[in-house]
């Protein structure tokens, strides 16, 4: 592959047998950051791959974590020391335990993130393909639209609520489709977010120009989620 421009004399070669190891090359995504003493330089940071870095003390420590509850994590430091991080219900403070030592740390208050999931080409039993677009608002509500570009129509067909976990997994509850799950594709992760895929399946009724039609939808919607 030519790089183009001033680098056109350079080439990238594809190695089909390249051994990709996610734990070595996947970009860690921060899922929780807590600060000691209000200092951004004294933080414990949890990443989506189960690793953490603790800079709240005099040394820079690292290790692995496991989630035990909605806002509770068990920590295992590299030297074998056990610990925990428990985030308060108000999401503003947390208690960090490292062995016998306990430290109160502050969290960055969570704010909602608006994003969109879509599928531009869906067959719903009519002669034309349509687009599905799911608008997810920052307040935890969502609305699914059927978009027919040929006649410039945009029809609301389902509504619901959703929550996104610290590791970008989504739980959706729709009025018509019921419970649906959105799963992240961590290989797409960048500094700006990670792609998530939502499997949606439901029978819905669509009204257009006074006519009502029942359609069946079984599709995957994709979009980028950033915390």
């Amino acid at each position: 592959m030519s790089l183009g421009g001033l680098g056109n004399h350079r080439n990238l070669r594809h190695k089909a047998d390249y051994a990709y190891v996610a734990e070595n090359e996947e970009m860690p995504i921060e899922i929780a950051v807590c600060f000691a003493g209000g200092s951004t330089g004294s933080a414990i940071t949890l990443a989506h791959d189960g690793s953490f870095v603790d800079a709240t003390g005099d040394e820079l420590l690292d290790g692995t974590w496991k989630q035990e509850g909605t806002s509770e994590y068990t920590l295992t430091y590299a030297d074998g020391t056990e610990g925990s991080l428990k985030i308060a219900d108000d999401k503003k403070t947390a208690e960090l335990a490292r062995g016998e030592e306990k430290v109160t740390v502050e969290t960055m208050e969570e704010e909602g993130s608006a994003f969109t999931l879509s599928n531009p080409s869906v067959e719903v039993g009519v002669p034309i393909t349509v687009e599905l677009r799911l608008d997810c608002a920052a307040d935890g509500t969502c609305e699914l639209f059927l978009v027919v570009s040929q006649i410039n129509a945009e029809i609301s067909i389902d509504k619901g609520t959703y929550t996104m976990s610290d590791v970008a997994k989504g739980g959706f509850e729709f009025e018509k489709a019921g419970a649906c799950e959105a799963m992240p594709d961590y290989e797409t992760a960048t500094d700006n977010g990670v792609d998530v895929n939502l499997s949606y399946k439901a029978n819905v009724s669509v009204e257009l120009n006074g006519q009502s039609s029942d359609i069946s939808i079984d599709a995957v919607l994709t979009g980028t989620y950033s915390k």
Side-chain angles (χ1 to χ4, degrees), residues 28 31 53 76 88 90 100 114 124 133 137 152-153 166 193 203 211 222 227:
I31 64 168
V53 176
T76 302
D90 61 8
E100 298 298 322
V124 291
R133 191 189 76 239
N152 196 30
D166 289 337
N203 296 318
Q211 300 294 320
T222 300
K227 189 174 180 180

Side-chain angles (χ1 to χ4, degrees), residues 36 54 56-58 61 77 81-84 95-104:
D54 183 359
T56 60
D58 297 330
L61 306 174
Y77 287 81
T81 301
E82 297 294 327
S84 65
E95 183 180 82
L96 170 64
R98 184 171 53 241
E100 298 298 322
E101 181 184 2
K102 292 186 178 180
V103 180
T104 299

Side-chain angles (χ1 to χ4, degrees), residues 34-210:
C34 300
F35 304 100
S39 171
T40 57
S42 299
I44 178 168
T45 304
L46 276 60
H48 84 283
D49 59 1
S51 66
F52 73 86
V53 176
D54 183 359
T56 60
D58 297 330
E59 299 179 78
L60 180 63
L61 306 174
D62 59 12
T64 59
W65 62 265
K66 290 185 179 180
Q67 189 166 358
E68 300 296 338
T70 303
S71 301
E72 184 174 344
Y73 307 87
T74 58
L75 310 177
T76 302
Y77 287 81
D79 64 0
T81 301
E82 297 294 327
S84 65
L85 181 68
K86 299 179 181 180
I87 300 176
D89 292 339
D90 61 8
K91 305 295 184 182
K92 295 181 179 180
T93 62
E95 183 180 82
L96 170 64
R98 184 171 53 241
E100 298 298 322
E101 181 184 2
K102 292 186 178 180
V103 180
T104 299
V105 291
E106 301 173 354
T107 67
M108 295 184 66
E109 188 173 354
E110 292 187 354
E111 297 180 353
S113 176
F115 62 102
T116 299
L117 305 178
S118 65
N119 187 321
S121 181
V122 179
E123 295 182 359
V124 291
V126 294
I128 58 176
T129 59
V130 299
E131 176 187 356
L132 290 178
R133 191 189 76 239
L134 179 65
D135 292 339
C136 303
D139 63 359
T141 61
C142 57
E143 187 169 6
L144 181 65
F145 293 91
L146 185 148
V147 182
V148 186
S149 59
Q150 291 87 343
I151 56 174
N152 196 30
E154 186 175 285
I155 309 162
S156 175
I157 58 174
D158 205 353
K159 295 180 180 180
T161 59
Y162 75 95
T163 58
M164 298 296 292
S165 75
D166 289 337
V167 291
K169 292 182 179 179
F172 288 74
E173 188 68 37
F174 290 98
E175 294 177 357
K176 298 176 182 177
C180 298
E181 189 176 27
M183 298 299 295
D185 180 3
Y186 292 129
E187 291 188 7
T188 67
T190 68
D191 291 337
N192 297 320
V194 60
D195 286 354
V196 294
N197 301 306
L198 171 69
S199 296
Y200 179 93
K201 185 176 182 179
N203 296 318
V204 300
S205 180
V206 177
E207 292 188 11
L208 181 64
N209 296 330

